[in-house]
Amino acid sequence: QAEAYQCTEAKHQADKLKITLAFGTGTLKNDKGAGGMSVFISERYWNRLDFAEKSAFADSLVCAVAGPGKGLVRMQLRSDMTGKTVGEWSTGKLTVP
């Protein structure tokens, strides 16, 4: 069973640096055209991760965006190559199609 998602102040600060770097290197890009919370992710990067790594990355992204003690109800990760959804975060859990 998965452990409950927690975004502490220390985790938020570490994740904020990690996600800022991901945006800076082009691994992540804002998805300005989507309604709701959505980001483009490098498909090459995403495909190199196993499910546990994808889930940890999504946790980091949510914590960095939402902040300590908070979360997001839903977030989409979309391929930077196709625009298709490659992951969906919903109420503390990642689903990969």
Side-chain angles (χ1 to χ4, degrees):
Q1 178 140 13
E3 193 174 307
Y5 174 75
Q6 295 292 320
C7 182
T8 64
E9 180 63 35
K11 180 168 173 27
H12 171 68
Q13 292 302 322
D15 288 344
K16 203 166 139 181
L17 288 173
K18 177 181 178 177
I19 297 305
T20 298
L21 181 61
F23 274 104
T25 61
T27 300
L28 288 174
K29 295 177 185 159
N30 286 319
D31 183 5
K32 295 179 175 129
M37 179 63 192
S38 178
V39 294
F40 287 110
I41 187 162
S42 163
E43 191 167 324
R44 289 179 63 183
Y45 173 79
W46 189 249
N47 287 338
R48 288 194 320 250
L49 304 177
D50 64 28
F51 182 77
E53 292 168 327
K54 288 175 181 176
S55 187
F57 187 87
D59 282 352
S60 292
L61 179 56
V62 169
C63 186
V65 170
K70 299 177 184 166
L72 299 175
V73 174
R74 173 172 260 128
M75 174 186 59
Q76 282 189 324
L77 295 137
R78 296 176 44 189
S79 165
D80 65 343
M81 292 169 48
T82 66
K84 292 182 180 178
T85 300
V86 294
E88 186 166 339
W89 171 271
S90 182
T91 58
K93 187 170 78 171
L94 178 68
T95 303
V96 177

